[in-house]
């Protein structure tokens, strides 16, 4: 066991990454347990919620810890600072991604249905950590033969292409396919060439009436079949939503979005029209001489 640890963790320099991954998992589980206790009013956190004051979301200390970890990692690969940087970065990444839905929607949707995207991002980050820890580096090896070099270049090209397809899955709103595709590559390939979800970035940018209708039909069929199972897993890990989704934002009318500029003196004078003329006074009546004739 000691030799395996030395050959696979210490020598490749994966100890900071392993500590980062461990801190990431422990922080996520601890955070979800604490927030569920707060919501249920159980344990030492039952009186943690108040109706006044400033509510500091745990993404805020997560950002601070991630900044500290990054600065400490830039200090150099000296031990133990690089290991401490890995732990701080893992805690910060976990706290930030746990409230990814809040950052995305700029609303407190932690316990709403839209908050499930945070769990999906946690799962995607977990898959990336595991992929890097369990994978291998095709670079940095000396004394390669021509055949070995061709194999490693081919593998590196395939890895880059695979990550590009994972990125396409994310842009098309297929987070679960991207998560599974980290380990089962054909899932990511298949999802990348399929139609995008209507509300995804890809679907909003490349809209076509026929494709939108097909995407809506497929999404309805997919959600009917797989969403109950995914919700069960998500609720088991992070807790079931207990708040309704926020109402959609209404579009702002154009005349309200951009107020008209103030009119200048010349425009105000033109709008007012010509100045009113004074009424001509009636001519004085000439007195009639009634003594004549």
């Amino acid at each position: 066991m000691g030799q395996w640890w030395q050959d696979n963790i210490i020598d490749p320099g994966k100890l900071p990454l392993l500590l980062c991954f461990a801190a990431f998992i422990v922080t996520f589980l601890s955070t979800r347990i604490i927030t569920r206790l707060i919501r249920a009013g159980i344990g030492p956190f039952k009186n943690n919620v108040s109706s006044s004051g400033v509510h500091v979301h745990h993404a805020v200390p997560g950002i601070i810890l991630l900044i500290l970890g990054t600065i400490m990692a830039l200090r150099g690969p000296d031990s133990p600072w690089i290991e401490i940087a890995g732990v701080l970065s893992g805690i910060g990444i976990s706290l930030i991604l746990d409230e990814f839905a809040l950052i995305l929607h700029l609303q407190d949707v932690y316990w709403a249905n839209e908050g499930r995207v945070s769990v999906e991002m946690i799962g995607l980050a977990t898959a990336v950590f595991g992929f890097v820890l369990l994978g291998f580096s095709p670079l940095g090896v000396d004394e390669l033969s021509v055949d070995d070099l061709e194999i490693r270049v081919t593998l590196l090209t395939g890895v880059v292409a695979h990550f590009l397809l994972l990125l396409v899955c994310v842009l098309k709103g297929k987070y679960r396919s991207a998560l599974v595709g980290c380990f089962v590559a054909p899932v990511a390939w298949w999802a990348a060439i399929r139609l995008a979800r209507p509300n995804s970035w890809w679907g909003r940018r490349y809209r076509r009436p026929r494709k939108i209708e097909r995407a809506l039909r497929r999404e309805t069929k997919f959600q009917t079949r797989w969403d109950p199972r995914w919700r069960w897993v998500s609720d088991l890990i992070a807790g079931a939503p207990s708040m309704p989704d926020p109402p959609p934002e209404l579009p702002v009318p154009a005349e309200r979005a951009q107020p008209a500029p103030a009119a200048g003196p010349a425009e105000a004078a033109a709008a007012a029209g010509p100045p009113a003329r004074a009424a001509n006074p009636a001519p004085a009546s000439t007195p009639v001489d009634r003594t004549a004739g």
Side-chain angles (χ1 to χ4, degrees), residues 3-237:
Q3 187 63 33
W4 178 90
W5 179 267
Q6 183 71 29
D7 294 339
N8 294 276
I9 301 298
I10 302 300
D11 291 344
K14 293 183 178 181
L15 181 59
L17 183 61
L18 180 62
L19 293 175
C20 181
F21 180 49
F24 176 84
I25 296 296
V26 172
T27 302
F28 171 70
L29 295 177
S30 303
T31 303
R32 283 291 171 169
I33 291 174
I34 293 174
T35 52
R36 293 176 74 169
L37 290 177
I38 292 175
R39 183 178 62 167
I42 302 175
F45 307 100
K46 59 183 178 181
N47 296 322
N48 188 264
V49 179
S50 61
S51 59
S52 61
V54 178
H55 177 67
V56 180
H57 293 271
H58 48 267
V60 176
I63 294 173
I64 296 175
L65 290 175
L66 182 58
I67 293 174
L68 290 177
T70 304
I71 295 175
M72 194 171 294
L74 294 175
R75 181 182 180 275
D78 300 333
S79 183
W81 302 109
I82 191 65
E83 288 81 6
I84 297 176
V87 173
L88 293 179
S89 298
I91 297 174
I93 294 172
S94 181
L95 293 176
I96 294 172
L97 291 184
D98 189 54
E99 291 199 318
F100 178 81
L102 181 146
I103 301 173
L104 179 65
H105 297 284
L106 295 180
Q107 298 184 45
D108 192 357
V109 293
Y110 192 85
W111 291 119
N113 188 49
E114 293 181 352
R116 296 179 186 270
V117 69
S118 298
V119 183
E120 296 178 359
M121 292 304 299
I122 288 288
L124 182 60
T126 302
V128 172
F129 272 117
F131 184 80
V132 175
L133 281 172
L134 298 178
F136 60 92
S137 175
L139 302 177
V141 181
D142 299 329
E143 299 181 359
L144 292 176
S145 64
V146 177
D147 294 337
D148 292 339
L149 183 61
E150 291 178 354
I151 294 175
R152 292 180 182 274
V153 171
T154 303
L155 290 176
L156 180 60
T157 305
V159 169
V160 172
H162 182 62
F163 272 101
L164 290 177
L165 292 176
L166 291 176
L167 178 61
V168 172
C169 291
V170 173
L171 294 178
K172 288 188 173 184
K174 302 179 180 181
Y175 305 109
R176 303 168 195 174
S177 299
L179 173 60
V180 178
C182 289
F183 300 99
V184 185
V187 174
W189 304 344
W190 178 253
I193 63 176
R194 302 286 286 179
L195 293 177
R197 291 181 179 270
N199 295 326
S200 65
W201 178 89
W202 194 288
R204 293 192 303 267
R205 187 174 180 84
Y206 303 102
R207 286 185 175 181
R208 294 180 182 178
R210 294 182 180 179
K211 289 190 175 182
I212 291 178
E213 294 178 2
R214 291 172 55 193
L216 288 173
R217 290 195 301 267
R218 290 182 179 180
E219 184 178 12
T220 302
K221 183 178 179 181
F222 179 85
Q223 290 180 353
T224 303
R225 182 177 182 181
W226 294 103
D227 267 16
R229 304 176 186 181
W230 176 256
R231 290 173 184 269
W232 180 84
V233 176
S234 177
D235 295 345
L236 179 65
I237 297 175

